[in-house]
Amino acid sequence: MKIDAEKGEGIELAKQFGVRGFPTIIIANENGQEVDRIVGYMPPEPFLEKLNQIKNGINTMPTLLGELELDPTKFSTLFKLANKYENMNDKASAREMINAILEAGTDSSGAAAFQSILYDARETRDPTPLITYADKNPDSENSSAALEEAMWFVRGIGDDPDLEADLFIRFVNGMKEPNPGLLNGFAWRMSELEKNLDHALEKVNWAIENEADEKNKHMYIDTKAEVLWKMGRVEEAIAEIEKCISFDSEDKYYGEQLEKFQKSQNPA
């Protein structure tokens, strides 16, 4: 059954099932109890694989809860349940699972300790513990997640653009597998903040070179044009946005960008 979670009864159902993002696919049993969920888009093959896993009861809520009854201190079961509850927006149950791991002393990897810090930061909206964690654990797999989460907190507060820019740079520089879309987002945000523009230009150039989709590539070229314009390199900005116009001459936004750049050359 397909439901629009932003209209009519869908709004209440989204609240009932703790839906935080779209698309969200919830698999329930005949009693309406959740068995598992798939959050976000997945390509066809991984999607079918995930459905088969759910069908076979692999890491579903009923399976994990059954395992928990057999061994209430098992790290993997508790940690998987914490993630399940977090996806369900059941913060109290997620924290309960993490606390159980910490109390059992089975957190050899430090993953549960980080989750506890993350939950606290989300509750208080204070990025400081996350920044401290990243500073103290630069080689941790969780360091990148800490920096990203802290950056979004700082952006949401909106009163420290220097810190936001610094956290964003640290996050993108620490990425093990650079992502063209994310690096484009970084470059655009730096252009908005008018900070670290040389770094932004470097990253968006990489994004352009490594993006296979032509539409996305020209979106990134537009970002490059904006960065160049903010750097005062107007002629180069015009040359880049003209590439976008050649690609899609009907896109009004590209035309508006060109007009903006040209006006800055010859202010009235």
Side-chain angles (χ1 to χ4, degrees):
M1 179 172 62
K2 184 177 180 180
I3 295 172
D4 187 337
E6 297 179 301
K7 294 181 181 178
E9 65 175 356
I11 297 173
E12 287 304 315
L13 282 171
K15 289 180 181 178
Q16 177 185 337
F17 283 96
V19 174
R20 297 187 299 172
F22 309 113
T24 294
I25 298 173
I26 296 173
I27 294 89
N29 62 21
E30 62 274 11
N31 298 318
Q33 296 171 321
E34 182 168 335
V35 174
D36 211 336
R37 69 175 57 194
I38 301 172
V39 180
Y41 169 79
M42 293 181 73
E45 287 189 13
F47 178 72
L48 289 174
E49 183 179 347
K50 179 65 176 177
L51 286 179
N52 282 327
Q53 289 177 351
I54 294 171
K55 181 181 178 181
N56 293 322
I58 299 173
N59 291 328
T60 60
M61 286 297 293
T63 299
L64 292 171
L65 290 172
E67 292 176 3
L68 186 64
E69 286 188 14
L70 295 174
D71 186 351
T73 63
K74 188 176 180 181
F75 172 87
S76 61
T77 302
L78 289 164
F79 198 77
K80 288 174 184 176
L81 278 169
N83 288 328
K84 295 283 187 187
Y85 283 126
E86 187 174 356
N87 283 336
M88 295 164 65
N89 205 25
D90 185 347
K91 299 174 184 177
S93 295
R95 184 180 284 276
E96 182 182 344
M97 297 299 107
I98 292 299
N99 287 343
I101 293 173
L102 297 175
E103 290 169 7
T106 56
D107 186 31
S108 59
S109 67
F114 171 70
Q115 286 299 113
S116 181
I117 293 170
L118 184 59
Y119 293 162
D120 287 342
R122 286 175 176 171
E123 188 173 316
T124 62
R125 308 302 296 174
D126 179 7
T128 306
L130 293 168
I131 298 170
T132 301
Y133 178 91
D135 290 341
K136 290 183 176 180
N137 303 277
D139 298 324
S140 168
E141 292 183 0
N142 296 314
S143 178
S144 180
L147 290 169
E148 183 180 20
E149 193 91 17
M151 183 271 294
W152 284 110
F153 285 166
V154 173
R155 181 185 295 194
I157 296 168
D159 63 354
D160 197 339
D162 288 329
L163 179 58
E164 179 192 338
D166 177 66
L167 291 169
F168 212 160
I169 285 178
R170 289 177 62 186
F171 169 62
V172 298
N173 284 344
M175 291 173 63
K176 292 182 179 179
E177 297 182 6
N179 176 289
L182 196 152
L183 292 181
N184 176 70
F186 164 76
W188 185 264
R189 184 56 179 165
M190 292 303 104
S191 76
E192 290 179 324
L193 296 174
E194 298 189 15
K195 296 185 181 296
N196 308 302
L197 294 176
D198 287 333
H199 205 68
L201 185 60
E202 174 192 334
K203 295 301 183 184
V204 77
N205 276 332
W206 187 95
I208 292 166
E209 292 170 6
N210 290 275
E211 177 57 64
D213 183 270
E214 284 299 315
K215 184 175 181 179
N216 287 342
K217 179 174 289 192
H218 283 83
M219 287 171 56
Y220 305 165
I221 291 172
D222 166 58
T223 298
K224 179 179 179 179
E226 185 75 11
V227 171
L228 288 166
W229 181 62
K230 290 291 180 74
M231 296 173 79
R233 294 160 62 174
V234 182
E235 290 291 344
E236 293 173 77
I238 290 173
E240 293 300 322
I241 202 64
E242 284 177 342
K243 294 177 185 177
C244 298
I245 293 171
S246 295
F247 173 73
D248 186 354
S249 60
E250 295 183 3
D251 191 313
K252 293 181 180 179
Y253 168 76
Y254 290 150
E256 291 169 357
Q257 285 288 85
L258 176 60
E259 184 179 354
K260 179 178 74 174
F261 299 158
Q262 290 173 333
K263 281 185 177 179
S264 70
Q265 273 187 316
N266 304 294

